[in-house]
Amino acid sequence: MQLKPLLTRLHPLHRTLASVEMDEALRIVGEAMPAAANYAIESFVPNTPVWTWRVPERYAVHEAYLAFEDGRRIVDFADNPLHIVSYSPPVDATLSWNELAPHLHYNEARPWATPWVFKYYQREWGFCLPKDIFDALPRDSRYRAVIRSEFLSDPTAGGFRVSVGVLQPEGGSTPGAPSAGEMLIASHLCHPMQANDDTAGVVTAIEIAQRLAEKPLPTGSMDVRFWFGPETIGSIVYLAHHEELIPRLKGGIFIEMTGNDSPIAWHHSRQHNHLLDRITAYVLRDSEYVERNFADFPPNDERVINGPGVNVPCISINRWPYDEYHTTDDNPDIIEEDMLQGAADIVEEIVRIYASNYIPKRTFRGPVFLSGNGLWVDWQENFALNRAVEKIMMRFEGQHSIFDIAEEVGLEYWIVREYVEKFRAKGFVEAHFIPGEAPEF
Ligand SMILES: [Zn+2]
């Protein structure tokens, strides 16, 4: 599907930790997700303890502006939600320049742009404006600072929300039967009026969900869980409320900033050389890319998913850096459809390989009678596979996944998988699941 129109709908909303327009954004994401994902929004009670954190309150802004004493407005929240520091407490004061100045924020490098500043936990009010406007404000004037904001902790006000949709492989899953587990795809929906960070990651994730609905993963693959919400605290709140899910999670991908015209950057998992890292390197082998360590800048929800006591191997995919980061210049003008789709292509392939990979375990003794079982590979049809057959058959001892075998024999994953599936169809190998790294609860 075309992703930029969807991004352009989400972009202008006042999307923050929890707010009316964040609810609206979660609803729009639900409209765009495939029906098969059974997309659902979950709400949590503010101030509930979650691990070492607490569930944030909702934030409502009824009116906010900075004005001259005569009432002429300098910046207004109604024009752009970036004009106030996110989660500013209320203020209604007339101030001298010296009193006001510590509450003003601008971006030195982009003097025409308004920066995005958040103080979710410090609770200090502030206004954000272009440096050009800041410089022009008379130092001998008095100013009116008005923010009519409210923090809502009453659960009837709507609570703190995240959403998930889960896509199952071909044939679904049998309730109660052993499962291959799940992959978790996360992207953050917060950041008011920011396009690339991370509305871009959100629409890229939706595209991957659409593709997995259209062409499901092979039977027996992992489920793929798509998660949307506010960054860091959102995944903490969700996982702290669903600890039973953690041992099921076999791998994660955090996606952000996928729309600008830069090469893909990938951040290793905390394990660094996990199967997921090796599959990512394999998928990117013919692309131009940047490689970074786990939690290198910009770090995000992978620190939660792959963090202490959770430890689900999680890579991060983005196209950072870009100059417009955290300013009003991060808008749909810098977003390219090809970049969004290109990121979806890469993540989709990582998911398809990681989630469909398994450990083939031998049930036979002696070399398999290939031609007698329809397993012979004609060298004229596939010379490389013909040469690799013996090596593949020697690696069915339960030590190697299909991806490991493909890597060792130097063949494409899908060619080896298709061939191993023929052994499985004959009952010569059993499929064992890829083990998780997360602790049991
Ligand atoms: Zn950001």
Side-chain angles (χ1 to χ4, degrees):
M1 62 188 250
Q2 284 290 304
L3 300 177
K4 200 169 163 181
L6 176 60
L7 176 143
T8 305
R9 260 179 93 194
L10 291 165
H11 166 256
L13 297 173
H14 177 224
R15 292 169 288 112
T16 182
L17 298 182
S19 63
V20 169
E21 294 199 354
M22 185 65 166
D23 297 351
E24 173 66 2
L26 288 164
R27 196 189 61 73
I28 292 170
V29 169
E31 268 178 26
M33 282 287 281
N38 290 315
Y39 180 85
I41 295 167
E42 202 169 334
S43 178
F44 303 90
V45 179
N47 293 324
T48 307
V50 279
W51 297 342
T52 62
W53 300 61
R54 62 180 173 79
V55 178
E57 294 158 302
R58 279 172 78 86
Y59 186 55
V61 180
H62 305 296
E63 185 180 33
Y65 59 86
L66 177 68
F68 293 107
E69 215 178 2
D70 64 12
R72 280 177 300 132
R73 293 191 182 188
I74 302 159
V75 292
D76 194 330
F77 176 83
D79 297 332
N80 189 322
L82 264 54
H83 281 316
I84 63 166
V85 168
S86 288
Y87 272 60
S88 280
V91 61
D92 187 343
T94 303
L95 304 158
S96 68
W97 173 258
N98 286 340
E99 290 166 325
L100 174 67
H103 295 278
L104 299 184
H105 305 269
Y106 53 82
N107 184 317
E108 195 79 57
R110 304 181 80 77
W112 57 86
T114 300
W116 176 55
V117 178
F118 57 95
K119 295 194 181 210
Y120 293 140
Y121 305 105
Q122 297 97 319
R123 298 285 158 94
E124 286 168 23
W125 66 267
F127 289 93
C128 304
L129 71 178
K131 171 108 182 348
D132 290 343
I133 294 180
F134 175 91
D135 286 342
L137 291 175
R139 274 35 179 178
D140 55 358
S141 288
R142 290 180 70 76
Y143 294 91
R144 287 274 296 139
V146 176
I147 299 177
R148 299 191 209 289
S149 63
E150 230 183 322
F151 298 101
L152 307 163
S153 56
D154 183 344
T156 61
F160 174 88
R161 299 181 183 191
V162 307
S163 65
V164 292
V166 181
L167 284 161
Q168 294 188 326
E170 191 73 60
S173 56
T174 320
S179 152
E182 294 190 8
M183 278 194 91
L184 179 65
I185 308 297
S187 51
H188 74 76
L189 195 52
C190 61
H191 285 31
M193 226 174 193
Q194 298 291 283
N196 201 30
D197 182 15
D198 180 30
T199 323
V202 169
V203 300
T204 297
I206 292 170
E207 170 67 12
I208 297 159
Q210 287 288 354
R211 295 183 192 182
L212 291 178
E214 201 169 304
K215 186 186 166 208
L217 291 166
T219 305
S221 297
M222 298 175 195
D223 292 352
V224 184
R225 180 176 299 260
F226 290 84
W227 180 94
F228 306 94
E231 68 179 333
T232 313
I233 185 63
S235 53
I236 290 171
V237 170
Y238 181 70
L239 290 175
H241 279 83
H242 294 283
E243 289 187 340
E244 79 291 347
L245 188 65
I246 295 172
R248 277 180 57 78
L249 299 174
K250 301 293 178 72
I253 304 179
F254 178 78
I255 312 172
E256 67 179 348
M257 308 174 195
T258 49
N260 59 303
D261 184 10
S262 300
I264 282 287
W266 75 282
H267 299 215
H268 279 260
S269 72
R270 189 153 70 110
Q271 286 78 352
H272 198 80
N273 283 319
H274 190 266
L275 189 58
L276 181 59
D277 296 85
R278 286 160 43 220
I279 288 173
T280 305
Y282 169 73
V283 169
L284 285 166
R285 66 197 179 282
D286 296 324
S287 314
E288 185 194 356
Y289 65 86
V290 177
E291 189 173 344
R292 302 195 186 109
N293 287 322
F294 179 73
D296 274 359
F297 203 84
N300 224 305
D301 294 75
E302 72 276 13
R303 292 170 307 163
V304 178
I305 298 162
N306 207 164
V310 183
N311 206 34
V312 176
C314 185
I315 58 159
S316 172
I317 296 278
N318 58 68
R319 295 186 188 275
W320 194 83
Y322 63 106
D323 294 340
E324 300 84 357
Y325 178 71
H326 282 194
T327 71
T328 37
D329 289 342
D330 182 349
N331 61 48
D333 292 347
I334 66 163
I335 302 296
E336 297 183 18
E337 181 71 29
D338 284 1
M339 294 292 122
L340 298 169
Q341 297 287 348
D345 293 345
I346 288 161
V347 177
E348 179 193 5
E349 188 60 5
I350 298 169
V351 169
R352 288 198 184 275
I353 295 177
Y354 191 78
S356 69
N357 190 29
Y358 62 85
I359 299 167
K361 180 85 186 353
R362 166 184 66 80
T363 60
F364 57 87
R365 268 186 227 280
V368 173
F369 178 23
L370 297 174
S371 52
N373 287 286
L375 294 165
W376 175 251
V377 178
D378 187 338
W379 64 270
Q380 285 171 310
E381 277 172 26
N382 191 336
F383 183 74
L385 184 59
N386 170 284
R387 296 287 82 203
V389 166
E390 296 295 333
K391 292 181 196 158
I392 292 171
M393 240 194 303
M394 297 300 157
R395 286 171 168 79
F396 290 160
E397 303 300 323
Q399 315 295 317
H400 299 82
S401 72
I402 293 170
F403 182 80
D404 296 318
I405 297 171
E407 207 176 38
E408 288 186 16
V409 304
L411 286 174
E412 297 278 324
Y413 170 81
W414 293 110
I415 289 173
V416 176
R417 190 182 190 281
E418 192 188 337
Y419 189 53
V420 174
E421 282 284 281
K422 290 180 182 168
F423 280 77
R424 187 151 78 112
K426 286 279 175 188
F428 295 156
V429 298
E430 288 170 346
H432 289 208
F433 300 135
I434 301 298
E437 304 246 332
E440 290 289 333
F441 283 80

